[in-house]
Amino acid sequence: MENNLTKTYNPKEFEERIYHKWEENGCFRAVVDYSKKPFTIVMPPPNITGQLHMGHALDQTLQDVLTRWKRMQGFNALWLPGSDHASIATEVKVAEKIKNDEGKTKEELGREEFLKRAWEWKETYGGRITEQIRKLGNSCDWERERFTMDEGCSKAVTEVFVRLYEKGLIYRGNRLINWCPSCETSLSDIEVEHEDKSGKYYYIKYPLIDAPDEFICIATTRPETMFGDTAVAVHPDDKRYQHLIGRKVLLPIADREIEIIADEYPDMEKGTGAVKITPAHDPNDFIVGERHNLEKVICMNENATMNKNAGKYEGMDRYACRKLLVKELEEKGYLVKIEETTHSVGACYRCDTVIEPMLSDQWFVKMEELAKPAIEVAKDGRLQHVPERFGKIYLHWLENIKDWCISRQLWWGHRIPAYYCEDCGEIIVSRSTPERCTKCASSKLKQDEDVLDTWFSSGLWPFSTLGWPEETEDLKYFYPTDVLVTGYDIIFFWVIRMVFSGLEQMGDVPFKYVYVHGLVRDEEGRKMSKSLGNGVDPLEIIGQYGADALRFMLMTGITPGNDVRFKTDKLESSRNFANKLWNASRFVLMNIQGDLISEEKAEKMYLDEDKWILSRINSVIQEVTTNMDKFELGMAAQKTYDFIWSEYCDWYIEMVKSRLYGEDEADKDVARYVLIKVLKDMLKLLHPFMPFITEEIWSHLPETDVMLIKESWPEYNQAMDYSREEEKIELIMDVIRAIRNIRAEAETPPSKKLNLVIMAQGKERDHISKGERYIKALANILEISIVQDKKEIPEDAMSSVIRNVEIFITLDELVDFNAEVERLEKERDKLQKEIERVDKKLSNEGFISKAPQSVVDEEKDKRIKYQEMLEKVTERLEIIKRKIG
């Protein structure tokens, strides 16, 4: 231990050094140890394309707080890090780079060469985000770092695919899927973000074949899809159309005959009650088409241009087609009217392009059977959401889940382990590349071109990272994990998939708790985004304020499931807190001389303030631990802050200063012992939240041979419950606060010494009598008179009442009357001038007629305020002048 904390707190001087020290000493390492209980968190793997943003900072800090706390509690804590290959995002980045550098498309380059470039890109940029998150202080076991496309994870992906296929839970089918025309790949339902947008309802006549002068009118928001219409549907109970059921109409422009069918899908109250049925381009129409065995006509290409079925509009963009088609419908008399409307529009979660429902051959996971156990574990409590309300949302999604489209038309990712025989068409799903067709023995086999949805591999993350499908010691010991920390925005992308995958492959939940946090918003409560330009770079904040200040700002005031606002003043407050702790620790260290006395020796000589602070830290330890157990991390951080700032720094240190500067060496030793003992417990409580500053201070304290990260979490000790001394000291503190309030109200400087009269009886009188030295030192009091009779109370005194105690200070003591008269007269003159200025403005007809009413009202409000202030100043001035005589 070296007593050499620098004069000023500068996190740049030690944060990086301390992190290296933790890593070098294996402080984050977790190995199988059956003598300890494991605690496991798997990091939600950030995308290799990503850069550290404030959402990561919140998510990662929450995980680190829990990991550090559990490690100190004696658990064998493993926080397993890794990154995600992010199929769509990475493919777009790599394709852009190739286009910019070489002027080639990925198709021109070819699959093999493109994948080579993608791996090179991953090696160059993929580790950037994991390097960045180290700056936050993450205590991950970096020796276990995984990647969703590393050899072990890839083996797990293939194994799960094959097992599910063999159980009949994975199938290939021609189904309607969500298609992104920009990324040119399919999307699962939850990769589509829906938003209400302004649009138009187009009312179009479809003439009857057997009566060309008659027609049925339909309403649509997407007229360009009419080239894929194969029927018009009406409700069987709709009396307006019952006579038309079974008859045929002419599809305008396409000049194709389609039938009017009866189906319960149309809403008789919506639009005209008749709907066009386009099975290849609308999910509801697809279901209707299946019921009626309708043809599925595709009228668009994968890039959202029209195909040959659109006739002369072939090759045209869908929106350009819409514009010209509507014009042609109007010219030919088919367009009845156009109405403005608001409707839900689905867009790609990656690029915001409006998706197009598209009929396609894709791979799907049957979800009904897999969802049942995932529902059961949430209902029976084996899986718990924090806060509970997210459990209801989780159940709602699972109870309404559809089959999951898992194939993506990309090259970067886990290639689907399915092989097609070019001779007989047999599909072979295999763990390894087959040499011959299992049906006809042909060697002409071709692997499926598509890759799996990114969420397929990340859904296996809690067990694939621990060695599955091998039965490793890690898997047996660390699985199931304990907590999954995640934002509410990806519960359905990720959490649901992990739960059903864990239950299906491991027979147990992947984690016991799902801790759900909100988003980090800007000061105005807006979501941080590139378009708004309101994002805040955590690395810049760390550079300016230090990682501890950022972490603590994110943790204080946070409640599970709710958004948190990034506030600069809150960040500065966290930095100020770190500075206060640094200065207090430095003061304590400067007053330590030689070895500390033993606890046994110190406890025999404790004074009341010693017992009070020891009792308070004991209570805070119990409260903070309870909060942590309940995932109330924000509350735990706030209680730790309040104790350190107020009780330790503002009160206890001030109380013991006179002892440290006194002559009684034995008493000095006791004060030093208590200062260090409480400081150590404070640093332990604060360490999960502010790891760097606490570790740095800890390294300078006496009798600290072990790094703080490896120290034990403090525990509540019944023997340290000094409730009687707490009551005494808290009464004294209330008295001092009351005196300070009287000074402030009377505008008496803190430096002026005062005499005090206190009326108290019983135990309160005894407490105050024994605490006189604190009151005199901390409230700058010269003499204290403790009285029992009201007759002994001085006249013309300011007073305060607290807990059966009355405090009096005479006005003569508080106020220099002549100086106060001079001050008040200046204040009066100033207010009179302000009133004259406002009156002049309000009597000016030009101002009244030209200024906005809000400005005029503001001046009137000022006039009222100034008048009220003048009356108070005048009244006080008269009272003091009468007193002077």
Side-chain angles (χ1 to χ4, degrees):
M1 187 275 293
E2 292 178 27
N3 179 4
N4 63 346
L5 271 184
T6 55
K7 189 173 181 182
T8 54
Y9 165 63
N10 182 2
K12 286 181 182 175
E13 291 179 358
F14 57 83
E15 286 193 347
E16 193 172 336
R17 165 172 53 80
I18 285 174
Y19 197 83
H20 286 317
K21 190 178 177 184
W22 285 330
E23 283 203 277
E24 286 165 10
N25 285 272
C27 296
F28 310 155
R29 188 86 177 105
V31 293
V32 174
D33 180 355
Y34 286 97
S35 69
K36 285 184 174 183
K37 194 175 177 183
F39 175 83
T40 317
I41 293 182
V42 289
M43 178 190 291
N47 292 348
I48 55 169
T49 56
Q51 291 213 54
L52 188 70
H53 58 64
M54 212 44 86
H56 290 129
L58 172 63
D59 190 68
Q60 306 270 322
T61 301
L62 285 164
Q63 292 172 74
D64 195 43
V65 167
L66 291 169
T67 304
R68 286 178 181 271
W69 168 55
K70 285 294 182 181
R71 188 182 287 123
M72 292 177 79
Q73 279 197 318
F75 286 81
N76 192 4
L78 168 63
W79 182 16
L80 198 152
S83 52
D84 192 283
H85 64 281
S87 285
I88 297 176
T90 305
E91 184 141 327
V92 168
K93 288 263 187 191
V94 175
E96 280 175 2
K97 188 174 188 306
I98 293 166
K99 187 77 174 171
N100 294 336
D101 294 352
E102 303 172 48
K104 291 182 179 179
T105 65
K106 68 173 192 175
E107 287 78 15
E108 287 170 335
L109 204 62
R111 183 171 195 141
E112 194 174 324
E113 189 60 32
F114 176 82
L115 288 175
K116 184 182 170 188
R117 305 293 175 85
W119 278 105
E120 286 170 0
W121 189 94
K122 188 263 175 189
E123 293 308 313
T124 305
Y125 301 105
R128 178 175 51 186
I129 190 153
T130 53
E131 286 302 317
Q132 290 173 340
I133 60 181
R134 280 172 160 87
K135 300 279 186 189
L136 284 166
N138 287 7
S139 61
C140 312
D141 187 347
W142 291 109
E143 291 179 37
R144 292 176 176 271
E145 187 176 359
R146 300 300 300 268
F147 175 53
T148 48
M149 278 175 64
D150 67 27
E151 188 181 347
C153 290
S154 296
K155 183 180 179 182
V157 167
T158 301
E159 183 66 28
V160 168
F161 188 96
V162 173
R163 287 189 186 189
L164 292 178
Y165 181 80
E166 288 173 349
K167 284 184 75 172
L169 294 173
I170 281 182
Y171 65 93
R172 184 166 171 79
N174 187 255
R175 297 277 301 277
L176 201 69
I177 48 94
N178 304 301
W179 184 266
C180 175
S182 178
C183 299
E184 291 198 21
T185 186
S186 58
L187 302 170
S188 65
D189 288 343
I190 58 173
E191 291 172 310
V192 178
E193 294 180 344
H194 292 274
E195 189 180 340
D196 286 340
K197 290 191 176 181
S198 299
K200 290 181 171 64
Y201 253 136
Y202 300 90
Y203 288 78
I204 304 167
K205 297 178 187 175
Y206 283 34
L208 291 163
I209 294 293
D210 57 7
D213 292 335
E214 294 180 36
F215 60 86
I216 189 166
C217 184
I218 61 93
T220 179
T221 57
R222 299 161 65 216
E224 66 279 7
T225 63
M226 64 187 291
F227 295 110
D229 289 2
T230 53
V232 171
V234 296
H235 198 281
D237 298 335
D238 195 333
K239 292 177 181 177
R240 293 172 294 175
Y241 302 123
Q242 283 175 340
H243 67 292
L244 298 178
I245 294 167
R247 294 168 69 180
K248 293 191 174 181
V249 291
L250 180 72
L251 182 60
I253 313 302
D255 292 332
R256 189 157 44 81
E257 291 184 15
I258 57 176
E259 190 178 343
I260 299 172
I261 61 172
D263 193 277
E264 292 189 351
Y265 165 61
D267 182 346
M268 292 186 282
E269 305 298 319
K270 188 176 178 182
T272 65
V275 292
K276 61 195 265 325
I277 300 299
T278 321
H281 291 281
D282 181 276
N284 294 311
D285 294 1
F286 179 84
I287 295 166
V288 174
E290 290 286 285
R291 280 199 289 265
H292 296 269
N293 200 26
L294 297 177
E295 185 186 358
K296 299 175 180 71
V297 177
I298 299 170
C299 63
M300 271 187 223
N301 298 310
E302 291 180 349
N303 63 355
T305 58
M306 307 308 292
N307 68 13
K308 64 182 181 182
N309 289 324
K312 64 183 178 183
Y313 294 102
E314 183 180 2
M316 197 175 286
D317 174 75
R318 55 183 165 169
Y319 298 126
C321 170
R322 180 185 297 178
K323 188 176 179 182
L324 292 176
L325 175 61
V326 168
K327 187 179 178 185
E328 185 178 356
L329 288 167
E330 187 175 20
E331 288 170 352
K332 292 185 175 178
Y334 292 117
L335 186 68
V336 178
K337 63 177 177 176
I338 301 173
E339 280 181 356
E340 296 295 324
T341 186
T342 300
H343 63 127
S344 180
V345 177
C348 173
Y349 81 111
R350 278 287 171 205
C351 66
D352 291 330
T353 303
V354 174
I355 62 106
E356 204 52 66
M358 195 80 75
L359 198 64
S360 178
D361 285 327
Q362 301 288 340
W363 289 91
F364 295 87
V365 175
K366 286 184 183 175
M367 285 308 307
E368 188 178 357
E369 187 179 326
L370 291 169
K372 284 175 184 173
I375 291 169
E376 191 181 314
V377 294
K379 287 183 174 179
D380 67 19
R382 278 181 283 164
L383 177 74
Q384 295 182 47
H385 286 78
V386 180
E388 285 182 12
R389 69 176 185 271
F390 285 99
K392 292 174 186 172
I393 300 168
Y394 165 94
L395 285 172
H396 174 76
W397 270 78
L398 276 173
E399 285 164 354
N400 295 278
I401 203 163
K402 296 176 186 173
D403 284 359
W404 171 22
C405 175
I406 54 171
S407 44
R408 298 290 179 270
Q409 289 61 53
L410 302 165
W411 288 350
W412 175 249
H414 297 98
R415 195 167 176 180
I416 291 172
Y419 304 83
Y420 304 95
C421 177
E422 294 182 37
D423 286 337
C424 73
E426 179 74 358
I427 298 175
I428 304 149
V429 170
S430 174
R431 290 173 178 81
S432 57
T433 306
E435 293 182 7
R436 294 190 174 278
C437 174
T438 52
K439 187 176 180 182
C440 73
S442 169
S443 59
K444 292 180 181 179
L445 300 176
K446 187 179 180 184
Q447 188 174 356
D448 197 301
E449 292 286 327
D450 292 350
V451 300
L452 288 162
D453 176 9
T454 296
W455 301 101
F456 190 94
S457 54
S458 47
L460 319 181
W461 192 245
F463 53 92
S464 65
T465 52
L466 293 170
W468 191 92
E470 310 302 326
E471 285 192 27
T472 63
E473 285 298 309
D474 279 350
L475 191 63
K476 286 189 273 185
Y477 180 70
F478 288 112
Y479 189 92
T481 71
D482 290 86
V483 188
L484 187 277
V485 177
T486 187
Y488 60 62
D489 51 335
I490 62 165
I491 286 179
F492 318 111
F493 281 116
W494 195 39
V495 175
I496 284 172
R497 282 143 170 62
M498 283 191 287
V499 175
F500 72 67
S501 297
L503 288 166
E504 173 67 19
Q505 306 305 332
M506 295 292 298
D508 201 351
V509 289
F511 28 74
K512 301 165 191 118
Y513 295 95
V514 180
Y515 178 101
V516 183
H517 61 77
L519 306 176
V520 182
R521 297 186 177 273
D522 70 6
E523 297 205 24
E524 296 172 36
R526 300 174 303 174
K527 189 175 179 179
M528 290 186 178
S529 67
K530 285 180 183 175
S531 58
L532 289 173
N534 62 344
V536 180
D537 183 354
L539 295 176
E540 284 183 20
I541 298 299
I542 290 169
Q544 189 177 351
Y545 294 92
D548 285 329
L550 173 60
R551 287 169 65 113
F552 203 71
M553 182 275 288
L554 291 169
M555 286 299 99
T556 44
I558 192 173
T559 50
N562 294 323
D563 293 340
V564 60
R565 292 192 185 190
F566 178 89
K567 293 187 176 180
T568 306
D569 59 347
K570 204 173 155 193
L571 185 64
E572 285 169 355
S573 171
S574 295
R575 162 78 191 224
N576 293 342
F577 172 57
N579 204 52
K580 178 123 177 166
L581 174 64
W582 185 268
N583 290 336
S585 303
R586 191 166 177 272
F587 169 80
V588 171
L589 286 166
M590 285 167 63
N591 283 279
I592 299 298
Q593 294 167 4
D595 295 333
L596 294 176
I597 61 171
S598 67
E599 181 176 16
E600 188 181 6
K601 192 172 180 182
E603 65 186 5
K604 292 174 183 174
M605 297 184 284
Y606 287 156
L607 299 187
D608 284 349
E609 69 262 34
D610 301 326
K611 290 182 178 179
W612 164 73
I613 198 70
L614 289 166
S615 189
R616 283 298 303 129
I617 187 67
N618 195 39
S619 297
V620 171
I621 287 166
Q622 186 178 43
E623 289 169 22
V624 167
T625 305
T626 300
N627 290 142
M628 298 288 273
D629 280 329
K630 293 179 179 177
F631 295 100
E632 296 166 347
L633 307 188
M635 207 176 286
Q638 190 63 49
K639 283 178 181 173
T640 306
Y641 171 96
D642 291 343
F643 176 81
I644 293 172
W645 186 289
S646 177
E647 295 180 87
Y648 186 78
C649 295
D650 285 354
W651 285 104
Y652 184 68
I653 286 180
E654 294 303 316
M655 284 178 177
V656 299
K657 275 181 179 177
S658 59
R659 294 164 65 189
L660 294 171
Y661 303 149
E663 301 298 324
D664 187 338
E665 291 300 323
D667 186 45
K668 279 186 190 179
D669 284 343
V670 175
R672 288 171 185 146
Y673 171 81
V674 175
L675 280 166
I676 290 292
K677 178 177 171 57
V678 177
L679 178 55
K680 284 183 177 179
D681 281 344
M682 280 167 23
L683 293 175
K684 288 178 181 181
L685 291 179
L686 187 59
H687 178 73
F689 303 98
M690 301 180 90
F692 291 110
I693 187 174
T694 51
E695 189 73 80
E696 178 67 3
I697 293 170
W698 183 267
S699 69
H700 292 88
L701 298 186
E703 299 171 16
T704 52
D705 300 326
V706 178
M707 279 189 284
L708 180 55
I709 191 173
K710 291 184 174 182
E711 269 289 347
S712 298
W713 183 255
E715 293 183 356
Y716 175 77
N717 181 356
Q718 184 65 45
M720 285 290 174
D721 182 2
Y722 297 113
S723 52
R724 199 162 60 88
E725 284 76 13
E726 274 196 57
E727 186 184 348
K728 275 187 198 176
I729 295 296
E730 278 164 17
L731 176 63
I732 298 300
M733 287 162 65
D734 285 344
V735 168
I736 293 166
R737 287 190 193 100
I739 296 165
R740 288 172 178 171
N741 289 340
I742 291 171
R743 276 186 189 271
E745 199 177 327
E747 297 180 0
T748 305
S751 58
K752 184 175 181 181
K753 285 196 174 290
L754 303 172
N755 290 309
L756 185 68
V757 176
I758 293 180
M759 191 169 84
Q761 294 178 340
K763 66 177 180 179
E764 284 83 9
R765 179 188 179 91
D766 183 52
H767 292 343
I768 290 166
S769 179
K770 288 178 180 175
E772 274 194 30
R773 67 183 180 88
Y774 307 119
I775 299 169
K776 286 180 177 179
L778 300 179
N780 202 13
I781 299 298
L782 200 60
E783 292 297 333
I784 300 174
S785 300
I786 303 175
V787 301
Q788 289 180 289
D789 194 327
K790 283 197 173 184
K791 292 174 184 176
E792 299 176 72
I793 297 168
E795 295 180 2
D796 295 332
M798 292 184 74
S799 65
S800 182
V801 180
I802 45 152
R803 288 204 259 163
N804 303 322
V805 175
E806 290 183 72
I807 299 160
F808 301 91
I809 305 174
T810 62
L811 285 174
D812 289 345
E813 289 278 337
L814 290 163
V815 182
D816 178 337
F817 290 114
N818 291 322
E820 184 66 358
V821 166
E822 188 180 338
R823 188 187 71 78
L824 288 170
E825 283 178 342
K826 282 182 184 176
E827 185 69 19
R828 178 196 62 194
D829 295 345
K830 183 182 172 185
L831 287 166
Q832 284 173 341
K833 282 180 184 175
E834 285 298 320
I835 289 170
E836 284 172 18
R837 183 190 64 76
V838 174
D839 284 346
K840 190 175 179 182
K841 214 171 191 179
L842 291 174
S843 62
N844 183 335
E845 287 185 15
F847 171 75
I848 297 294
S849 61
K850 290 177 183 176
Q853 188 58 44
S854 61
V855 175
V856 175
D857 291 342
E858 192 179 329
E859 290 298 319
K860 287 179 180 178
D861 290 341
K862 283 181 186 176
R863 175 69 172 78
I864 294 166
K865 185 180 77 174
Y866 291 146
Q867 186 61 44
E868 287 173 353
M869 289 168 71
L870 180 62
E871 287 168 7
K872 285 178 183 175
V873 167
T874 305
E875 183 186 355
R876 185 160 169 76
L877 194 55
E878 287 171 0
I879 291 168
I880 293 173
K881 280 183 175 179
R882 280 200 302 271
K883 180 141 187 84
I884 295 173

